[in-house]
């Protein structure tokens, strides 16, 4: 395909204004919360943190209750929370008194928990346990306040294990404003449940097949996204879902890869977390199968991305030979023979080597976009089994009948002939939310939600559980690590690898109705059709993979899950399809003007345009529309890269004159038409030359015949006259004598 400059890496919008204030606000919260409990009960409440810039939507306010320690309060521990009020309006918010209330009756089940968290936060039935003042909030700023209930407070005494409703509220001119959360009292004697936490290692939405060196340098810098992802999982038991396009992008660069990228890759290969490979580019398998493909696509070749000079092994250095001590000798020593320097060896890595994602990899795991895979998709993925590996399809519990009914779904399930891994939708959504909260005083709310749902899941589970932190990008190491740690630090869980989860007993499950995306299926179908045309066109190359390899990689990137919900995706698809059209038109015959042919034979000249950076092999097929010209029907052409190449086609004129239309068509050696059919008109004037020569030859022949006939007739007449006259001999002699004398006289006169 035609090489184009890479587009810049896309990033999910980040709350830039919060970056400047997160550390400040967190310090303010900790300053209030780290005071001794006794002092908190006796001394006046600390002053609220000063206002700073708020990042809520313009014209709105946000009041948030965030328990610390993920809402877990064991007997003998205090309850600590932070409350924050963000002001995105143009008016100042007056100072208010915030009341913290706790219910002493545990929430019954997951459905009741969802209802409580989604409610308007009515505090009826809850007991106020503490209150504190929150200062006025200026427009575009926020206030954060820490509140603590001591461990010996009567409100915390005698609570049985369970999940309790917790709410913070204040009164203003519009009424009561409430934020809901929970407090979790864990059981002491519960059996631990295995928990797997899946963390994607991806580079976000891309339109190019691989990351460039510049993009890798940015992503693997100390504050780069890939570095943050690896920092977030290092030292944890997270299951890594690695996009193989990322390590492949580093490996294809060989020795020219940025140093930071090589170090990042070494870290990825060195950590011992269990893992599996996502589809290349984290491509959505659902869209591919719904487009009519028999199985998900896979990369074919990366030759176009590699330069042999980046994979040249250093030449081995010769071992120095000690110099012997010279001895006296009459014979001079022989000159040493120079040892030739070995040629460095070049070995390009294979596709399998480029795509490897590290040790402890579980093969055959598919992760469709959330909520897109139905029973048919699972069944078709099950048919892709090879080498004795059972395919596993990751599904959210919300798409199962049990999960939709508010029940916990075990991680390992069976759906018809296929096996699935089910991740808890409620927990995963909360962890994803938390992993994208830069402000620690806001992150506690979703972390507590995740812990509360996990408390119900572990109590109901019949086998190991599985959760994810979502596919979000642009997360810092702190955000990601906090989400992973919250899952593994939840009460009564123990880490599990993907192999352990897959080896557990599979439970029968049923899926509810799943809506497929016709738009994504149609886009996948169009991209695959374009790829087929590119593959046919690529037969002009000695190595067709130089075109087909990047085309397949770019298709998979454009079908990446990160593009879902992105308003620019349609533009990216259209841009790629336009480039495919440009690639198919990069080799063609240049327009040819009409020409005249005056000789009987000549060579007609045509030009082939090649915009590709590779030489191409072609055959020019030429056919006349009448018999005035004999034309060489096939002319092999090797068109040089990024230039115009001249092609000469021999022709032979027959007797006759007139116009001849030649039809020209370039084809690959595999007889694939390249470019459009062209025609050129040739005016033939070659018949006068042959006719003139023939007429002249006939005239000369006639004259020669006439001369010969006249000579023969004259000689015959002379013979007959001599024989008929008396004394012919004497007269003849006399005449000859007279003629001789006459000739002598003429000579004398001269």
């Amino acid at each position: 395909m035609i090489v184009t400059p890479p587009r810049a890496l896309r990033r999910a919008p980040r709350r830039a204004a919060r970056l400047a204030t997160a550390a400040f606000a967190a310090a303010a919260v900790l300053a209030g919360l780290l005071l001794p409990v006794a002092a908190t009960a006796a001394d006046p409440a600390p002053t609220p943190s000063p206002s700073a810039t708020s990042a809520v939507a313009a014209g709105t306010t946000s009041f948030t209750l965030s328990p610390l320690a993920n809402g877990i309060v064991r007997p003998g521990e205090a309850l600590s929370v932070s409350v924050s009020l963000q002001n995105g309006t143009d008016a100042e918010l007056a100072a208010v008194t915030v009341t913290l209330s706790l219910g002493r009756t545990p929430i019954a089940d997951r459905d009741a928990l969802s209802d409580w968290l989604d409610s308007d936060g009515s505090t009826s039935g809850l007991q106020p346990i503490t209150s504190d003042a929150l200062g006025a909030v200026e427009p575009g700023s926020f206030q954060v306040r820490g509140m603590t209930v001591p461990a010996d407070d009567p409100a915390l005494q005698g609570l049985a294990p369970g999940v309790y409703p917790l709410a913070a509220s204040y009164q203003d001119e519009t009424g009561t404003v409430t934020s809901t959360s929970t407090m979790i009292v864990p059981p002491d004697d519960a059996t631990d449940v295995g928990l797997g936490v899946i963390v994607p290692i991806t580079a976000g939405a891309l339109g190019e097949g691989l990351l460039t060196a510049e993009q890798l340098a940015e992503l693997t810098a100390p504050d780069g996204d890939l570095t943050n992802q690896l920092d977030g999982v290092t030292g944890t038991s997270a299951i890594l879902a690695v996009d193989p396009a990322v390590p492949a992008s580093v490996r294809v660069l060989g020795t020219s890869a940025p140093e930071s990228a090589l170090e990042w890759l070494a870290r990825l290969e060195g950590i011992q977390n269990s893992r599996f490979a996502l589809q290349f580019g984290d491509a959505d398998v659902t869209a591919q199968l719904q487009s009519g493909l028999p199985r998900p696509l896979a990369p074919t070749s990366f030759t176009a991305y590699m330069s042999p000079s980046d994979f040249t092994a250093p030449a081995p250095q010769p071992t120095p030979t000690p110099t012997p001590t010279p001895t006296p000798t009459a014979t001079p020593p022989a000159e040493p023979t120079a040892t030739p320097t070995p040629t460095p060896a070049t070995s390009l890595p294979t596709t399998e080597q480029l795509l490897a994602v590290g040790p402890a990899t579980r093969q055959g795991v598919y992760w469709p976009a959330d909520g897109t895979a139905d029973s048919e998709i699972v069944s078709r993925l099950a048919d892709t089994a090879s080498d004795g590996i059972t395919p596993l399809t990751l599904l959210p519990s919300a798409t199962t009948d049990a999960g939709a009914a508010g029940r916990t779904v075990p991680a390992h399930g069976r759906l018809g002939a296929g096996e699935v891994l089910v991740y808890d939708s409620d927990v995963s959504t909360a962890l994803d939310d938390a992993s994208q909260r830069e402000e620690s005083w806001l992150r506690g709310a979703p972390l507590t939600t995740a812990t509360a749902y996990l408390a119900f899941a572990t109590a109901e589970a019949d086998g190991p559980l599985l959760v994810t932190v979502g596919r979000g990008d642009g997360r810092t190491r702190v955000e990601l690590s906090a989400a992973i740690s919250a899952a593994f630090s939840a009460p009564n869980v123990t880490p599990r690898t993907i192999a352990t989860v897959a080896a557990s007993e599979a439970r029968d499950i049923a899926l509810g109705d799943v809506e497929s995306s016709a738009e994504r299926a149609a886009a996948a179908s169009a991209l695959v059709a374009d790829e087929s045309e590119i593959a046919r066109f690529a037969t002009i190359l000695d190595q067709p993979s130089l075109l087909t390899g990047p085309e397949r990689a770019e298709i998979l990137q454009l079908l990446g899950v990160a593009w879902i919900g992105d308003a620019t995706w349609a533009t990216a698809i259209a841009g790629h399809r336009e480039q495919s059209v440009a690639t198919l038109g990069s080799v063609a015959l240049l327009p040819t003007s009409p020409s005249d042919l005056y000789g009987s034979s000549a060579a007609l000249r045509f030009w082939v345009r090649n915009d590709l950076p590779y030489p191409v092999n072609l055959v020019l097929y030429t056919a006349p529309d009448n018999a005035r010209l004999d034309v060489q029907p096939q002319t092999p052409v090797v068109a040089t890269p990024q230039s115009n190449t001249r092609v000469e086609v021999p022709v032979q004129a027959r007797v006759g004159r007139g116009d001849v239309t030649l039809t020209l068509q370039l084809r690959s050696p595999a007889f694939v038409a390249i470019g459009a059919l062209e025609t050129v008109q040739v005016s033939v004037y070659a018949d006068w030359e042959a006719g003139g020569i023939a007429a002249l030859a006939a005239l000369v022949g006639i004259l020669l015949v006439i001369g010969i006939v006249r000579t023969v007739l004259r000689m015959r007449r002379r013979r007959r006259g001599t024989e008929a006259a008396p004394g012919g001999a004497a007269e003849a002699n006399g005449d000859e004598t007279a003629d001789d004398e006459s000739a002598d006289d003429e000579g004398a006169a001269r």
Side-chain angles (χ1 to χ4, degrees):
M1 64 185 40
I2 299 175
V3 178
T4 57
R7 291 186 289 271
L9 272 179
R10 301 180 59 264
R11 289 285 178 273
R14 302 294 293 170
R15 295 163 293 279
R18 298 180 187 175
L19 279 171
T21 61
F24 175 79
V29 173
L30 291 175
L33 295 178
L34 294 181
L35 293 175
V37 173
T40 304
D43 297 340
T47 304
S49 63
S51 296
T53 304
S54 170
V56 297
T60 65
T61 63
S62 178
F63 178 58
T64 305
L65 166 62
S66 292
L68 273 66
N70 306 330
I72 301 172
V73 177
R74 293 179 170 84
E77 295 180 347
L79 168 64
S80 296
V81 303
S82 71
V83 290
S84 60
L85 181 57
Q86 300 176 82
N87 183 11
T89 69
D90 295 330
E92 181 183 79
L93 298 179
V96 295
T97 299
V98 177
T99 300
L100 184 66
S101 302
L102 175 68
R104 294 190 60 84
T105 301
I107 297 173
D109 52 31
R110 294 175 64 123
D111 268 349
L113 173 61
S114 298
D115 291 342
W116 166 248
L117 294 174
D118 294 339
S119 68
D120 58 4
S122 172
T123 57
S124 61
L126 274 63
Q127 174 186 344
I129 54 176
T130 189
S131 61
D132 210 337
L134 193 62
V137 185
E138 298 176 357
S141 63
F142 67 89
Q143 288 274 0
V144 181
R145 181 68 175 179
M147 303 173 70
T148 297
V149 179
D152 58 357
D153 191 287
L156 302 181
Q157 305 302 310
L159 294 177
V163 178
Y164 292 86
L166 186 68
S169 59
Y170 68 86
Q171 295 286 335
D172 64 7
E173 65 276 6
T174 63
T176 303
V177 180
T178 304
S179 177
T180 60
S181 187
T182 60
M183 185 185 80
I184 301 100
V185 178
D188 293 330
D189 55 354
T191 303
D192 284 353
V193 175
L195 177 68
V197 180
I198 299 176
V199 181
I201 306 295
T202 62
L206 292 175
E208 289 71 43
L210 291 175
L211 295 162
T212 65
E214 292 75 14
Q215 291 171 330
L216 284 170
E218 174 189 346
L219 290 169
T220 59
D223 59 346
D225 282 0
L226 288 175
T227 300
N228 286 334
Q229 292 172 23
L230 216 52
D231 288 346
V233 300
T234 300
T236 73
S237 299
I239 300 169
L240 309 185
V242 184
D243 177 1
V246 177
S249 297
V250 180
R251 294 187 180 114
V252 297
L253 296 176
T255 56
S256 65
E259 189 63 31
S260 62
L262 293 173
E263 294 174 357
W264 182 91
L265 181 60
R267 287 184 61 197
L268 175 67
E269 296 172 337
I271 60 177
Q272 298 304 308
N273 297 63
S274 71
R275 65 198 71 191
F276 64 91
L278 295 165
Q279 290 292 285
F280 184 91
D282 193 16
D284 184 12
V285 296
T286 301
Q288 297 175 58
L289 295 182
Q290 289 177 341
S291 72
L293 290 171
R295 61 188 300 133
L297 299 174
T300 56
S301 172
F302 296 98
T303 304
Y305 297 100
M306 291 186 283
S307 173
S309 61
D310 294 329
F311 297 91
T312 301
Q317 298 299 320
T319 303
T321 303
T323 304
T325 304
T327 56
T329 175
T331 305
E335 292 293 331
T337 304
T339 303
T341 303
T343 303
T346 300
S347 178
L348 297 181
T350 65
T351 300
E352 291 73 18
Q353 291 171 332
L354 293 171
L355 296 175
V357 299
T361 300
R362 208 292 185 178
Q363 304 295 332
V365 180
Y366 299 96
W367 190 359
D370 289 352
T372 63
D374 55 16
S375 300
E376 181 185 356
I377 296 298
V378 174
S379 176
R380 292 178 63 182
L381 290 175
D383 293 338
T384 64
S386 62
D387 300 330
I389 298 174
T390 302
L392 296 170
T393 305
L394 281 166
L395 301 174
S397 63
T399 61
T400 67
D401 288 348
R407 298 194 300 273
T408 297
V409 183
H412 192 194
R414 183 185 298 105
L415 182 61
E419 292 191 20
V420 297
L421 295 179
V422 182
Y423 53 93
D424 192 293
S425 297
D426 294 324
V427 179
S428 299
T429 299
L431 292 177
D432 185 18
D433 186 9
S435 70
Q436 300 187 63
R437 296 288 186 101
E438 297 177 56
E439 304 85 353
S440 60
W441 39 274
L442 293 176
R443 195 182 306 134
L447 290 180
T448 300
T449 298
T451 305
Y453 277 115
L454 266 176
F456 285 110
T458 54
E460 302 169 2
D462 184 16
L465 299 171
L466 197 63
V467 300
T468 80
V469 295
R471 281 175 156 119
D473 64 342
R475 300 183 280 207
T476 69
R477 57 178 63 86
V478 174
E479 300 164 12
L480 187 58
S481 179
I484 299 171
S485 298
F488 284 128
S489 62
N492 309 120
V493 301
T494 186
R496 289 288 183 265
T497 65
I498 189 169
T500 305
V501 174
S504 63
E505 182 180 357
R507 311 287 179 168
D508 289 332
I509 65 168
L511 290 184
D513 294 333
V514 176
E515 289 189 13
S516 59
S517 172
E519 179 187 12
R520 290 183 63 79
S525 180
L527 290 173
V528 171
D530 291 346
E531 183 190 23
S532 297
E533 293 299 316
I534 294 290
R536 296 175 70 248
F537 176 80
T539 55
I540 63 179
L541 300 179
D542 292 329
Q543 289 182 280
S545 61
L546 293 173
L547 286 182
T548 58
E551 178 70 11
R552 172 63 62 83
E554 291 182 12
I555 286 176
L556 289 169
Q557 291 283 11
L558 287 169
L559 293 177
V561 175
W563 284 104
I564 293 179
D566 192 307
T568 64
W569 180 65
T571 303
I573 293 290
H576 178 83
R577 299 199 66 194
E578 289 175 3
Q579 185 166 324
S580 295
V581 172
T583 298
L584 294 173
S586 61
V587 177
L589 279 168
L590 290 176
T592 304
S593 301
S595 60
D596 298 327
L597 179 63
Y598 292 98
S600 60
S601 62
L604 298 180
R605 294 180 178 179
F606 307 102
W607 293 88
V608 175
R609 172 177 54 83
N610 177 18
D611 295 335
L612 294 175
Y614 317 109
V616 299
N617 305 309
L618 300 163
V619 179
L620 176 60
Y621 287 81
T622 311
D625 67 342
N626 60 60
R628 290 187 177 92
L629 279 182
D630 284 333
V631 182
Q632 178 172 291
Q634 302 177 22
T635 306
V637 183
V638 177
T640 53
Q642 296 177 327
S643 62
N644 297 330
T645 301
R646 187 177 67 186
V647 185
E648 295 188 349
V649 179
V651 298
Q652 180 74 41
R654 296 182 177 181
V655 176
R657 60 181 298 171
D659 294 334
V660 179
T661 299
L662 298 181
T663 300
L664 310 174
Q665 176 66 72
L666 287 175
R667 292 187 180 273
S668 74
F671 206 67
V672 175
I674 305 298
L677 195 75
E678 297 286 346
T679 59
V680 60
Q681 183 174 305
V682 179
S683 298
V684 180
Y685 300 98
D687 57 338
W688 69 268
E689 181 181 0
I693 292 173
L696 181 61
L699 179 61
V700 171
I702 293 172
L703 292 175
L704 286 174
V705 171
I706 293 173
I708 292 172
V709 171
R710 291 183 62 188
T711 302
V712 172
L713 292 176
R714 186 183 300 114
M715 291 178 65
R716 286 181 179 177
R717 283 197 303 269
R718 286 180 179 177
R719 258 189 228 105
R720 286 195 299 267
T722 302
E723 292 175 354
E731 290 177 2
N733 290 335
D735 291 340
E736 290 174 4
T737 303
D739 290 338
D740 292 341
E741 290 177 354
S742 176
D744 291 341
D745 292 341
E746 287 182 7
R750 289 174 184 170

